[in-house]
Amino acid sequence: TTEGYTEAQTRAEVSDMAGRWLNYITDSNDHISYLAWRDTWAFVVRENRYYYLPDMTPVTREAWQTYASPLYVETEDARGQRVKIAYCKKFAEDNDALRPMATTVAPEQPMITADHKLNLWTDNWARLNHHRGATQGSEAVTLFRALVRFLCDDREEISDELLNWIGFGLFHPAQRVRYAPLLISTLKGAGKTMLMETVAALYDIRNASILGGLAPLTGQFNGSAIAGKQFVGVNETGETSVISRQGIMENLKSIISDDHVSIEFKGRDRQYVENYCRFLFCSNHLDGLPADDNERRIFPIVCTADDPLTPSFYESFMQTCRAEQGLADIAAYLKREHSQALPTRAPRGDMDKVQEALLPEWVIDLNQMIDRDTTGPVAILSRDIEKVLTHLAERNVTPAERKRCMEKTGWTYGKVKGQRAFWRGKPKPTRCDPRLVETFFRL
């Protein structure tokens, strides 16, 4: 009781105070709830859909209205009568509700950018948690380095370049990375996918896409694979025909290195968005991506091991490196040791091995025949080469394919005494030798 009050008076005073407070909460609770709810949503005008801001989940207009239809604000109209206004209707009339024109992915910029776009960027896991990691004596760091070293054929320079690609990409999100590693191992179960998924976990799986092949990335509706992503990993690049992969490679070039990338979702217009994504490819085939010899966007790394690491290694890797503390240790290690600036073009890596694997058998057979029967520079008429290659390949070899493959093995295409020909060696021959073709067909 309060001094000077009877028990009944004190009870009445407390009851009145509680009643008035309850009325205040009841009158204002819907309004407060609406404001809290409103500030978790943004309507993107160009896309005609809503985004749930805590995790940037896109929601169609129809789904959003279905979800919001039971929610309402209760207020008084001009006549003092209590009326209910649906949240979705109030949102449509609310001048303070977020209505950005479009979306973008802009690292280290505010949620609503200066050009009034909704920024889908969310910081990666490694940057948010690396301070929790320990770099000295960490089993996770030891296992992570061992797997990278194994996939790089125990070559320190190559493994350092791969580690630096991973670390720089994580800790410098606003700077573009202009090339992508291609991990190659004919040995299945070497650990390529395990490494790729660990890198995805360092980005946070919400910021990453793990694709089974190239089709979702290079197909028409590639929005779900790229939009809002910081990292895209592809498990296998070599499951399509050589001709298809050559066309895909041309599409990949712009996706990997251009400042903007073209994306499209089903039912919506194609759009160009800023491109901060990092790409990592894996393949069980040396010719998994038909890159040109001077390709600056692909960093091929070939693991030639005949046997994988021990089963206990991979088991320990999954248990240790994929745990939160393990990921934090790896993040701390990468930030401290491997986050230096990257070159603008890919290191050469094992490009020579890739180029050798991309050569068809017919050009190898041709060169072996020429080397066996001649010494010094040699020139052959283009029409004679066509006859020989049709026989060797047991099919018609297109002029473009013939020129491309022969130039890779040291041939030059041009004119010799006014006739179109291929020649190899220096100096340029002054005449074509038809006897080479006659010798071949006699054999």
Side-chain angles (χ1 to χ4, degrees):
T1 62
T2 302
E3 186 177 355
Y5 280 66
T6 65
E7 182 177 347
Q9 288 174 323
T10 301
R11 288 182 179 276
E13 187 73 15
V14 172
S15 177
D16 178 67
M17 179 180 67
R20 285 185 287 109
W21 181 246
L22 183 61
N23 289 335
Y24 171 76
I25 294 175
T26 303
D27 290 342
S28 59
N29 185 54
D30 284 340
H31 182 62
I32 294 172
S33 298
Y34 165 74
L35 291 178
W37 176 85
R38 180 200 68 186
D39 292 342
T40 62
W41 292 98
F43 176 69
V44 178
V45 177
R46 182 178 294 175
E47 298 182 8
N48 192 32
R49 63 177 178 173
Y50 293 81
Y51 277 82
Y52 182 59
L53 299 179
D55 61 6
M56 294 301 177
T57 301
V59 180
T60 64
R61 179 191 286 266
E62 294 77 10
W64 183 80
Q65 288 176 337
T66 300
Y67 151 74
S69 59
L71 306 175
Y72 62 88
V73 175
E74 189 170 313
T75 186
E76 290 185 358
D77 62 13
R79 296 175 296 177
Q81 296 180 340
R82 304 290 290 181
V83 294
K84 295 179 179 180
I85 301 176
Y87 273 20
C88 50
K89 181 179 179 182
K90 188 171 179 63
F91 188 97
E93 298 171 350
D94 192 338
N95 292 330
D96 293 326
L98 283 178
R99 296 185 186 86
M101 289 302 299
T103 59
T104 188
V105 176
E108 301 174 343
Q109 293 188 30
M111 184 176 68
I112 302 298
T113 61
D115 54 354
H116 204 61
K117 292 180 180 178
L118 177 65
N119 187 4
L120 300 181
W121 178 266
T122 55
D123 213 345
N124 66 54
W125 194 94
R127 290 222 311 174
L128 294 173
N129 294 276
H130 70 89
H131 60 279
R132 297 166 42 202
T135 58
Q136 298 297 327
S138 168
E139 183 183 1
V141 171
T142 300
L143 292 168
F144 186 78
R145 292 181 58 189
L147 181 59
V148 170
R149 193 72 176 252
F150 174 71
L151 293 174
C152 294
D153 259 5
D154 202 30
R155 293 170 293 176
E156 184 176 1
E157 181 181 358
I158 299 294
S159 62
D160 283 348
E161 287 173 329
L162 177 57
L163 287 168
N164 205 56
W165 180 90
I166 298 171
F168 181 86
L170 284 165
F171 292 102
H172 298 84
Q175 298 185 43
R176 290 175 172 82
V177 175
R178 307 288 182 176
Y179 64 90
L182 169 61
L183 303 180
I184 303 171
S185 171
T186 56
L187 170 68
K188 295 184 179 181
K192 302 185 298 296
T193 299
M194 187 177 291
L195 177 63
M196 181 176 66
E197 290 177 346
T198 304
V199 175
L202 289 167
Y203 277 95
D204 191 319
I205 198 62
R206 294 175 300 177
N207 296 326
S209 292
I210 302 295
L211 309 177
L214 291 169
L217 185 61
T218 58
Q220 179 182 356
F221 302 114
N222 60 353
S224 58
I226 300 176
K229 303 300 182 183
Q230 301 173 39
F231 174 80
V232 173
V234 179
N235 267 315
E236 179 54 67
T237 65
E239 295 301 326
T240 54
S241 67
V242 174
I243 296 175
S244 297
R245 278 184 281 128
Q246 287 171 348
I248 286 172
M249 186 64 214
E250 292 303 312
N251 292 336
L252 283 179
K253 289 180 180 180
S254 60
I255 292 175
I256 292 171
S257 63
D258 285 3
D259 290 345
H260 291 79
V261 62
S262 174
I263 65 170
E264 183 176 356
F265 291 91
K266 284 187 177 181
R268 286 187 283 153
D269 293 337
R270 179 166 287 273
Q271 57 182 305
Y272 288 87
V273 298
E274 289 189 277
N275 183 18
Y276 293 95
C277 199
R278 287 76 163 105
F279 297 88
L280 175 63
F281 303 102
C282 297
S283 182
N284 294 323
H285 310 275
L286 276 169
D287 60 350
L289 278 180
D292 292 334
D293 187 48
N294 61 349
E295 179 53 61
R296 59 181 174 84
R297 301 171 183 86
I298 299 297
F299 174 28
I301 301 171
V302 179
C303 174
T304 60
D306 294 324
D307 298 303
L309 296 167
T310 63
S312 61
F313 173 88
Y314 295 110
E315 184 178 350
S316 297
F317 186 97
M318 288 300 295
Q319 291 177 350
T320 306
C321 295
R322 299 298 289 277
E324 283 199 358
Q325 186 58 52
L327 290 171
D329 290 353
I330 294 168
Y333 163 73
L334 290 170
K335 181 173 176 57
R336 192 186 74 174
E337 302 289 340
H338 293 286
S339 57
Q340 295 81 27
L342 297 178
T344 56
R345 64 178 298 140
R348 184 158 183 85
D350 293 315
M351 184 61 78
D352 291 339
K353 293 179 181 178
V354 171
Q355 292 303 305
E356 184 178 350
L358 289 171
L359 291 174
E361 289 293 329
W362 52 260
V363 73
I364 296 174
D365 292 342
L366 172 68
N367 289 331
Q368 289 176 345
M369 180 193 75
I370 296 298
D371 293 339
R372 182 184 64 233
D373 295 334
T374 64
T375 58
V378 59
I380 306 176
L381 287 174
S382 180
R383 63 172 179 267
D384 290 339
I385 285 287
E386 182 179 358
K387 295 177 184 177
V388 172
L389 296 187
T390 299
H391 180 79
L392 288 173
E394 297 182 347
R395 63 178 176 86
N396 290 326
V397 179
T398 66
E401 183 185 4
R402 180 167 67 242
K403 183 173 180 292
R404 175 175 56 82
C405 292
M406 291 187 67
E407 285 180 345
K408 281 186 177 181
T409 57
W411 291 84
T412 301
Y413 179 70
K415 287 189 176 181
V416 176
K417 286 206 169 184
Q419 294 182 297
R420 298 189 181 279
F422 286 91
W423 71 84
R424 190 173 66 163
K426 294 181 180 180
K428 175 182 175 180
T430 58
R431 56 184 292 274
C432 296
D433 191 347
R435 292 177 301 171
L436 293 172
V437 179
E438 293 172 2
T439 301
F440 170 77
F441 280 108
R442 282 200 303 272
L443 295 174

